Amino acid sequence: MSQFAAEDPRRYLSLIKAAEDHDDLFQALYVDHDDRMDSVAGLRRRRRRASNTPDDNILAASLVEENGVLRWHDGVPAREEAPQRRRRARRAGGPPPLPDQTVVLIKEFPRLQPNRAAAAIGAIDMRLNSAIGVSLQSHLRQLRGGPQKFVIDANDAHGPFDGRTLLLVHGTFSNAVNMVGEFEATTDGQAFLNAALNGPDKYDQVLVFEHATLAVSPVLNALELGRAFSGASGAVHVIAHSRGGLIVRWWLEAFGAALKAETRVVFAGSPLYGTSLAAPDKLQHALSLISNIGTFAERTLTLVGGANPFLWVAGKLVEVVMTVTGTLAHTPLLDGLIALIPGLFGQSQISNNYELNLLRLGPCTTQPAYFVVKSNFATVDPGWQFWKNFRALRGADLAADQIFPGDNDLVVDTGSMTNLGETDFPLKIRDVEDFGNDPEVWHCNYFRQKRTIDFIRRNLP
């Protein structure tokens, strides 16, 4: 029952449309409600603006542009008003007026039914990836085609696999179609996949691993991947993006004993030591950053529709957060909420992430060769300065909505991309393709870079 409003619909039309397109996702999970009696729109008409209360069946959140940065807020913020009216607003206890603001989106939505938050997270996974069914079971599928366009089989591939295998593992909010699409976006990427499938030194099979990224932890994804490769006899080469890198680490280091031949992995922007974006105390700001990334990806990579989930995922996660905690602000309940999203908690860069800490202790069941592609995104384009609001640029200049303490590619801390474990950890990174402080290379376009493709060719011979 979400309702949307925008004061400047031309600038964020795709974001607003994406929110509307996915408005029905939780329809079967909402509490029973009376639209007329519970509507926040009605409350707004009576009170001039809406604020959420613990007894409300209908909640409201707003996406507001402030000085070029999108931020999620509880309720419906007031416009900047005269001083005496601002004082009355504070006394009334409603959301404070926000300076220099444009309300881009107002979401009204019913609460989720009790004990349905996990089901909502699973629903997001299924919407993100059409290959995932209600069981959230992963799928290993064959890639075919070339020289410019490639298709993924609709049916699962079953081992044991003989000969050389190339495996592609996608990251959070993504799917194999999107990952393959990044290779298809450039002639270098097309040539690499075509050679892998049809060249004189082609692989015996090129596979993709479709998996849920929110409702299932990287450990369970890895367990399924290990089962799928049971009995594989030949060399396995892997290209893993983002969270997919953590899955591959768990598979090879904990569940990979059945692999007997050489294993080589190229990680691209992978949170090998987790990411600050998934830390519980950063959640509200992380949701804001995700919405900013959505508009950035649309305009710089021309990612639209299903290829750009950043446009709508944050809004659905807002509904889950506000149902469970009643607010977007950081409260102790957020720690428990993150635990309800295993796919995020498994990559949360916090000291008490015992799951990730155990991975970093070893020992390892295999001895794979690891290679890393990394970047620190730092554009000088004045239209995309939002990234500065989510990073501590100097020790004495900590933004209120800071997520990253230092270098990052907009999604993963750069230092995490090469940090496998303690100093005596048995595996080492063999080689790194470091884009350094780059104004163009960020988390979602690694595979569009010629340097990345050349690096993969050198290290996955």
Side-chain angles (χ1 to χ4, degrees):
M1 194 207 72
S2 301
Q3 297 178 2
F4 304 90
E7 298 181 5
D8 188 4
R10 293 166 299 178
R11 292 188 61 188
Y12 296 106
L13 187 61
S14 295
L15 190 152
I16 295 166
K17 183 179 185 304
E20 292 172 337
D21 288 345
H22 298 279
D23 190 30
D24 64 340
L25 183 57
F26 297 159
Q27 196 65 44
L29 304 177
Y30 289 136
V31 297
D32 293 333
H33 58 277
D34 184 317
D35 288 352
R36 183 179 60 84
M37 295 299 295
D38 293 335
S39 171
V40 175
L43 291 175
R44 190 183 187 199
R45 286 192 295 271
R46 291 190 293 273
R47 301 180 184 172
R48 301 189 60 83
R49 68 180 175 276
S51 57
N52 298 307
T53 69
D55 297 328
D56 289 336
N57 278 335
I58 305 294
L59 302 174
S62 303
L63 185 63
V64 178
E65 182 193 46
E66 302 169 46
N67 302 315
V69 179
L70 295 172
R71 291 187 175 90
W72 283 99
H73 293 276
D74 290 349
V76 181
R79 295 176 179 272
E80 186 69 70
E81 298 171 309
Q84 64 271 22
R85 295 183 68 185
R86 288 201 300 271
R87 286 194 294 271
R88 285 201 299 269
R90 285 195 294 270
R91 287 196 297 270
L98 299 172
D100 302 317
Q101 67 168 354
T102 296
V103 177
V104 173
L105 184 87
I106 296 172
K107 284 178 62 70
E108 294 180 64
F109 51 92
R111 291 182 184 272
L112 297 172
Q113 299 169 25
N115 303 315
R116 300 298 277 168
I121 299 299
I124 296 175
D125 268 327
M126 287 184 280
R127 185 65 60 90
L128 286 167
N129 192 336
S130 61
I132 302 300
V134 293
S135 69
L136 303 185
Q137 183 179 21
S138 300
H139 299 277
L140 198 62
R141 292 181 173 170
Q142 186 97 25
L143 182 69
R144 304 184 190 277
Q148 295 176 313
K149 292 296 181 182
F150 305 87
V151 296
I152 298 169
D153 282 358
N155 298 319
D156 289 3
H158 299 284
F161 300 107
D162 299 321
R164 297 167 66 243
T165 301
L166 176 64
L167 173 66
L168 307 182
V169 185
H170 65 77
T172 305
F173 303 154
S174 191
N175 53 60
V177 172
N178 289 352
M179 186 175 180
V180 171
E182 286 301 294
F183 285 90
E184 289 179 329
T186 68
T187 55
D188 290 299
Q190 294 167 9
F192 171 77
L193 286 185
N194 188 55
L197 286 163
N198 307 308
D201 297 318
K202 67 182 180 181
Y203 288 89
D204 292 281
Q205 51 266 324
V206 179
L207 306 173
V208 300
F209 183 56
E210 297 276 29
H211 56 278
T213 67
L214 294 174
V216 179
S217 78
V219 181
L220 294 182
N221 294 143
L223 181 62
E224 289 190 285
L225 192 51
R227 288 170 173 168
F229 272 85
S230 177
S233 59
V236 178
H237 292 176
V238 184
I239 302 172
H241 180 234
S242 189
R243 174 189 182 275
L246 268 185
I247 295 173
V248 172
R249 281 200 66 188
W250 275 109
W251 167 38
L252 297 179
E253 296 172 28
F255 309 118
L259 296 174
K260 304 303 181 185
E262 172 197 47
T263 307
R264 302 170 73 88
V265 183
V266 173
F267 298 109
S270 291
L272 303 182
Y273 188 24
T275 172
S276 298
L277 191 67
D281 63 325
K282 307 293 196 306
L283 187 56
Q284 178 182 5
H285 309 311
L287 296 174
S288 297
L289 176 58
I290 289 168
S291 292
N292 283 279
I293 290 173
T295 59
F296 178 69
E298 178 191 21
R299 299 180 196 180
T300 61
L301 302 182
T302 62
L303 292 182
V304 296
N308 191 356
F310 294 99
L311 287 173
W312 63 269
V313 166
K316 302 313 288 186
L317 288 174
V318 162
E319 294 188 33
V320 178
V321 172
M322 293 188 64
T323 291
V324 174
T325 70
T327 178
L328 287 178
H330 180 237
T331 72
L333 286 174
L334 277 182
D335 293 342
L337 174 62
I338 288 293
L340 289 175
I341 312 176
L344 291 184
F345 181 77
Q347 56 182 324
S348 182
Q349 194 178 93
I350 53 176
S351 61
N352 62 343
N353 185 342
Y354 299 113
E355 179 179 302
L356 189 54
N357 291 345
L358 288 172
L359 175 65
R360 293 168 51 78
L361 291 176
C364 303
T365 60
T366 62
Q367 295 294 311
Y370 284 163
F371 307 88
V372 167
V373 180
K374 68 176 185 175
S375 177
N376 175 46
F377 177 73
T379 183
V380 295
D381 186 335
W384 300 114
Q385 294 295 296
F386 70 84
W387 63 273
K388 291 183 177 180
N389 290 74
F390 300 95
R391 176 187 301 183
L393 298 177
R394 297 182 300 276
D397 184 24
L398 302 181
D401 46 7
Q402 170 200 335
I403 295 173
F404 300 103
D407 293 354
N408 63 86
D409 68 354
L410 282 183
V411 175
V412 175
D413 307 77
T414 305
S416 175
M417 299 178 195
T418 54
N419 192 334
L420 291 173
E422 305 302 324
T423 54
D424 59 348
F425 192 75
L427 300 178
K428 305 297 179 186
I429 303 296
R430 300 281 188 91
D431 195 10
V432 177
E433 185 67 29
D434 185 1
F435 285 91
N437 300 326
D438 198 284
E440 296 181 357
V441 180
W442 64 289
H443 190 75
C444 291
N445 70 355
Y446 284 112
F447 301 118
R448 299 193 183 201
Q449 313 305 318
K450 184 179 186 301
R451 282 174 57 185
T452 300
I453 301 301
D454 289 344
F455 182 75
I456 292 172
R457 285 196 182 104
R458 289 197 306 271
N459 292 295
L460 302 182

